[in-house]
Amino acid sequence: AQSVSQHNHHVILSEAASLELGCNYSYGGTVNLFWYVQYPGQHLQLLLKYFSGDPLVKGIKGFEAEFIKSKFSFNLRKPSVQWSDTAEYFCAVISGGSYIPTFGRGTSLIVHP
Amino acid sequence: DAMVIQNPRYQVTQFGKPVTLSCSQTLNHNVMYWYQQKSSQAPKLLFHYYDKDFNNEADTPDNFQSRRPNTSFCFLDIRSPGLGDAAMYLCATSRDRRSGLAGGTDTQYFGPGTRLTVL
């Protein structure tokens, strides 16, 4: 069964710092990859996704993620975070012929102004 | 425009008193999911409907049931809530990318959740 690891459970940054959140998965076949974000008091929403093509994916609000197949990774990055990026971030993976995502446990990001 | 709506947003019930949570969607997605999310944890899939077909996760307790009377609506019934069932319950929808339907991307669209408190 697929498993998804997010190694950083809590990240605290100051505004303008760079961000990288790790996401690794276990299944080695074809995967579709997602990052979802949950702002305080709001619902989970898609940040970006990778299905195929360019492994560097750009999402909303200046976020990007890079799919590195050899490392089974899909790390999320942002060069300069803002206070409004404070949220919970979830990595999710759909494997093979499935349509159901496996979620990581999430990373709580706090950005200090 | 709200696309996945959950009611109520907050539900308080007593130990053992049945409760029903509802979810509706305006996206015409063929897949609907129910997740349980506890603080600082990943959403845990309870079950999902693929069209009319119900798919239960192996570790979902029998205490949890679901109904999908039509494409737009899905209900979560908790027959005898225990203290351990206090959580946020999330409804999500998606359109299966393999279905060939327009807009099928497997991207999940979530509702705002219902926070269940069990006294």
Side-chain angles (χ1 to χ4, degrees), chain A residues 32 36 43 51 97 99-100 104, chain B residues 42 48 97-98 105 107-108 111:
Chain A
N32 297 317
Y36 287 89
H43 59 277
F51 284 171
Y99 52 90
I100 300 172
Chain B
H48 74 279
R97 189 166 52 90
R98 304 163 306 170
T105 66
T107 300
Q108 289 192 316

Side-chain angles (χ1 to χ4, degrees), chain A residues 10 32 34 36 38 41-46 49 51 88 90 94 96-101 103-106, chain B residues 9 31 33 35 37 40-43 45 48 50 55 57 90 94 96-98 105-108 110-112:
Chain A
H10 299 280
N32 297 317
F34 305 79
Y36 287 89
Q38 189 170 27
Q42 296 188 28
H43 59 277
L44 270 161
Q45 56 189 292
L46 181 71
K49 62 187 177 188
F51 284 171
E88 192 90 15
F90 293 93
I94 296 178
S98 180
Y99 52 90
I100 300 172
F103 281 87
R105 64 170 288 178
Chain B
R9 294 290 307 276
V31 191
Y33 310 77
Y35 288 90
Q37 186 181 26
S40 301
Q41 295 183 22
L45 184 63
H48 74 279
Y50 190 103
N55 298 269
E57 294 299 299
L90 304 176
S94 71
D96 182 11
R97 189 166 52 90
R98 304 163 306 170
T105 66
D106 292 336
T107 300
Q108 289 192 316
F110 286 85

Side-chain angles (χ1 to χ4, degrees), chain A:
Chain A
Q2 177 69 270
S3 66
V4 180
S5 299
Q6 291 183 242
H7 305 293
N8 316 106
H9 301 314
H10 299 280
V11 175
I12 302 174
L13 296 172
S14 298
E15 276 195 317
S18 64
L19 171 72
E20 180 159 4
L21 301 183
C23 174
N24 289 89
Y25 59 93
S26 60
Y27 179 69
T30 302
V31 289
N32 297 317
L33 304 159
F34 305 79
W35 276 97
Y36 287 89
V37 61
Q38 189 170 27
Y39 298 104
Q42 296 188 28
H43 59 277
L44 270 161
Q45 56 189 292
L46 181 71
L47 195 58
L48 49 79
K49 62 187 177 188
Y50 171 82
F51 284 171
S52 63
D54 189 344
L56 184 62
V57 179
K58 294 192 184 298
I60 61 172
K61 303 187 180 185
F63 285 91
E64 65 179 30
E66 185 174 13
F67 170 47
I68 303 180
K69 189 174 183 179
S70 61
K71 295 185 177 180
F72 299 90
S73 70
F74 190 55
N75 291 355
L76 181 70
R77 299 194 294 249
K78 185 171 183 177
S80 177
V81 294
Q82 299 174 315
W83 173 78
S84 57
D85 294 324
T86 294
E88 192 90 15
Y89 293 82
F90 293 93
C91 180
V93 179
I94 296 178
S95 323
S98 180
Y99 52 90
I100 300 172
T102 299
F103 281 87
R105 64 170 288 178
T107 297
S108 173
L109 172 66
I110 296 175
V111 180
H112 288 299

